[in-house]
Structure formats: C-alpha cells, structure tokens
Amino acid sequence: MFRSDNLFSRFMNVLFDIICVSVLWILCSVPLLTAGAASTAAYYAMAKSVRYKTGYTVKEFFHSFRYNMKQSIPITIAFWIIMAVLLMDIWYVWTNDNKLNSAIFMVLIFILFLVAGITLYIYPLLSRFEKGTLDLIKTAAFVMFKYLPITICLLLAFGIACIGIYLMPWSVFVLPGAFMYGITFPVEWILRKLMPKADEEDEEAEKWYYQ
C-alpha cells in the first residue's frame, strides 16, 4: 500500500500538487491584476510537473509566474474591464424586459461566451508560446471555434467549479488546481496540434511537451 509507485501513492501525490497549486493560485491572484499570471503559472505547473513529471511544481509555478507577468497584466486588466461592463449591461437588460432588450440580451450573452472562451485558452497559450498579445487573442479565438465542443465542455467544467466553490468555500483550496489539472488533458492535445512537428534528432523533440 505504501510503495511510492502504487496507485494510492500516485493519487496522493497528484492531490498534494493540486492543493499546492490551488493555494499558490489564490495567493498570487489576490492582487486582481496578477490573476492572469497566476492562471498561466497554474496551468504551466500542472502540465509540466504533474502531467509530464518534469521539474518541481512550486518552482515551475513561480518560473512561469515571473516570466509571463509583464505580458499577462494588460490582458488581465482588459478582461476585468470587459467582464464588468458586460455583466452590468446583462443585468440592466435582464431587469428591463422588452422585445428589443431580448435581442440585445442574446448578443451580450454571445459576447460573454466569446470573452470567456478566449480567456479559457489564452493563458495556456501564453504558457507555451512566444507570441504577441494580438496573436494570442487571434489564436485563442481560432481554437475556441475550431474545437467548439471541447470549449463548451471546458466552460461547463469551469462553471461547475465556480458553483462548487460558492456552495463549499473550503473547496477553493482544491478546485482551482483540480480544474487546471483536468483541462491539461484536452488542452495539451490542442496545443500539440498548434506546435510545429520537431525532427527526432532535433533538441526540441526532447522537450517535455513533446513527450
């Protein structure tokens, strides 16, 4: 039971990393401006250290957090502003019912879906690729619609995680990391399709994300 390579030990190791990443994500997201960098770091640590067993979780988290801080802050600011405006508009339209408002409401919901979908992919993309912000947004939008069924499932999973945290506040120490770990399975599959294929003799082929 207590062998380091058995199923129970592997489960406990993953659970420990999930809790660790959840706590780090919470602490690094307290200044809302750094929430994007924290999300990028959480995904990177989960993909590299937990999924691919390369490096140490805490070390990889802070490496990505520092490295992507500068580029992620403007993205995060734009996200908070857009979300605030959208949610206020949706609330206003919802509480003022008429036929015109019904059409506007549907448009606002679509925009909300678009923003949420782009945000879902932009931080994993930032963790993997050296791209300008505009290119990141374009790529995230492309991936969102190309893999629409996966996008919908991931957004539903995010919604369930948010509801879980609301109903069970203690789960904030588990669900953020668990969500990031869960999305590495479909998102890594997508990211590998976006990456140029490396030759077997190329040093790039030895990198963890090609394994």
Side-chain angles (χ1 to χ4, degrees):
M1 177 179 177
F2 296 103
R3 289 174 56 192
S4 61
D5 61 344
N6 64 24
L7 183 61
F8 177 76
S9 296
R10 292 197 297 269
F11 171 77
M12 293 305 296
N13 287 336
V14 171
L15 180 61
F16 176 79
D17 286 329
I18 284 173
I19 294 172
C20 181
V21 168
S22 295
V23 172
L24 291 174
W25 179 81
I26 293 167
L27 293 175
C28 294
S29 295
V30 171
L32 293 179
L33 296 183
T34 60
S39 299
T40 304
Y43 180 85
Y44 181 81
M46 275 297 170
K48 184 176 182 181
S49 299
V50 184
R51 276 289 311 284
Y52 293 101
K53 310 297 182 186
T54 303
Y56 299 96
T57 304
V58 174
K59 180 181 178 182
E60 300 302 339
F61 181 96
F62 282 110
H63 165 75
S64 177
F65 184 76
R66 290 191 297 268
Y67 187 81
N68 295 297
M69 173 79 74
K70 183 177 180 180
Q71 188 173 6
S72 68
I73 286 180
I75 297 172
T76 306
I77 292 173
F79 168 78
W80 288 123
I81 292 173
I82 292 170
M83 287 300 292
V85 172
L86 269 176
L87 292 175
M88 285 189 295
D89 287 345
I90 289 171
W91 175 254
Y92 175 81
V93 172
W94 180 261
T95 54
N96 292 270
D97 188 29
N98 62 54
K99 291 183 178 180
L100 178 60
N101 281 350
S102 297
I104 295 174
F105 181 79
M106 296 306 297
V107 171
L108 290 173
I109 291 298
F110 174 77
I111 296 173
L112 180 63
F113 173 74
L114 183 63
V115 172
I118 290 173
T119 305
L120 178 71
Y121 290 110
I122 199 167
Y123 296 120
L125 287 167
L126 180 59
S127 77
R128 182 64 50 83
F129 298 108
E130 295 281 350
K131 287 178 176 285
T133 300
L134 186 58
D135 283 339
L136 282 174
I137 295 171
K138 289 179 179 178
T139 305
F142 168 78
V143 169
M144 173 190 174
F145 287 107
K146 182 174 175 61
Y147 303 100
L148 190 58
I150 293 176
T151 300
I152 292 171
C153 290
L154 294 181
L155 288 175
L156 287 174
F158 178 76
I160 291 170
C162 291
I163 292 171
I165 292 171
Y166 175 77
L167 296 176
M168 301 176 292
W170 58 267
S171 67
V172 72
F173 297 108
V174 178
L175 289 181
F179 174 75
M180 286 296 180
Y181 178 68
I183 71 171
T184 61
F185 290 89
V187 173
E188 282 300 301
W189 177 77
I190 292 171
L191 293 183
R192 291 188 69 165
K193 289 182 175 295
L194 299 175
M195 291 159 49
K197 189 173 182 179
D199 295 330
E200 292 184 2
E201 298 179 357
D202 192 343
E203 290 183 3
E204 186 72 9
E206 301 298 321
K207 297 289 181 65
W208 61 270
Y209 41 75
Y210 277 111
Q211 305 305 313

